[in-house]
Amino acid sequence: MTDVQHDAATRSLEQLEEEGDIAADYIEELLDICDLDGDIDIDARNGRAYLSVHAAEASSLAVLARPETVTALQELTRLAVQTKTGVFSRLILDVGGSRDARRDELGRLVARAAERIEGGASEAALPPMSSYERKLVHDLVAERGLHSESRGEGSERHTVITRVG
């Protein structure tokens, strides 16, 4: 873990709330530019600021809720926060329930991988994904009583699932 990442991991609740406020201002400006209505909730937990953007009509956020768009917006928002605070941000952005939808999708991937292992495979590799998604996968795998580890570097980093022991 780099010094910058360590500093981000040990941020106080006050610092995370400041990070959330900066991020919310940035996303609010983006929504205004795009002429989209949306409400923003800010939360701080597990050493991260969480922003959730939702609207009365979910369809109004549909374009922004695409997984690749959320990932790009999250990175841009992290950069905006880092520019203002001088500290690397690990904030998580959810648009229109995109994180829950992705968690469900990852759950299906893990279920298929578990079936392959139960069918006799020694291991099952999942496609490359972000560190946040790999963390979700590790949690889902542990719930099934299996073992997982991340392998690879950079954009090729992925999770491999095996039996325990």
Side-chain angles (χ1 to χ4, degrees):
M1 183 181 294
T2 67
D3 290 340
V4 170
Q5 289 171 325
H6 182 267
D7 290 345
T10 59
R11 307 215 19 166
S12 72
L13 180 60
E14 183 179 301
Q15 290 168 319
L16 291 173
E17 287 173 347
E18 175 191 13
E19 189 174 309
D21 288 339
I22 293 167
D25 289 345
Y26 179 79
I27 293 296
E28 198 169 285
E29 284 183 42
L30 175 75
L31 292 173
D32 286 344
I33 290 168
C34 296
D35 197 27
L36 295 172
D37 291 324
D39 297 315
I40 301 172
D41 294 327
I42 305 169
D43 191 17
R45 61 184 187 275
N46 302 324
R48 292 181 188 234
Y50 285 77
L51 258 69
S52 179
V53 183
H54 49 90
E57 290 186 40
S59 62
S60 67
L61 296 175
V63 170
L64 297 180
R66 293 180 184 147
E68 59 278 354
T69 305
V70 173
T71 299
L73 286 174
Q74 179 175 279
E75 290 307 312
L76 289 171
T77 305
R78 285 176 171 179
L79 287 171
V81 169
Q82 183 175 345
T83 299
K84 290 232 179 191
T85 65
V87 178
F88 175 78
S89 172
R90 295 176 53 223
L91 78 84
I92 299 296
L93 177 65
D94 176 65
V95 179
S98 60
R99 292 288 172 194
D100 288 340
R102 181 63 174 150
R103 187 178 202 289
D104 292 346
E105 184 179 333
L106 292 172
R108 289 187 295 275
L109 278 174
V110 168
R112 285 195 299 273
E115 287 172 6
R116 290 195 307 268
I117 291 170
E118 290 165 5
S122 61
E123 63 180 35
L126 299 182
M129 55 188 71
S130 71
S131 61
Y132 176 76
E133 290 174 330
R134 286 193 314 275
K135 168 67 171 109
L136 290 175
V137 165
H138 292 305
D139 292 346
L140 292 165
V141 168
E143 288 172 11
R144 290 179 166 272
L146 296 170
H147 173 76
S148 62
E149 64 182 54
S150 294
R151 295 184 189 164
E153 298 295 325
S155 64
E156 294 302 313
R157 194 139 174 92
H158 62 282
T159 306
V160 176
I161 302 170
T162 58
R163 294 186 188 282
V164 175

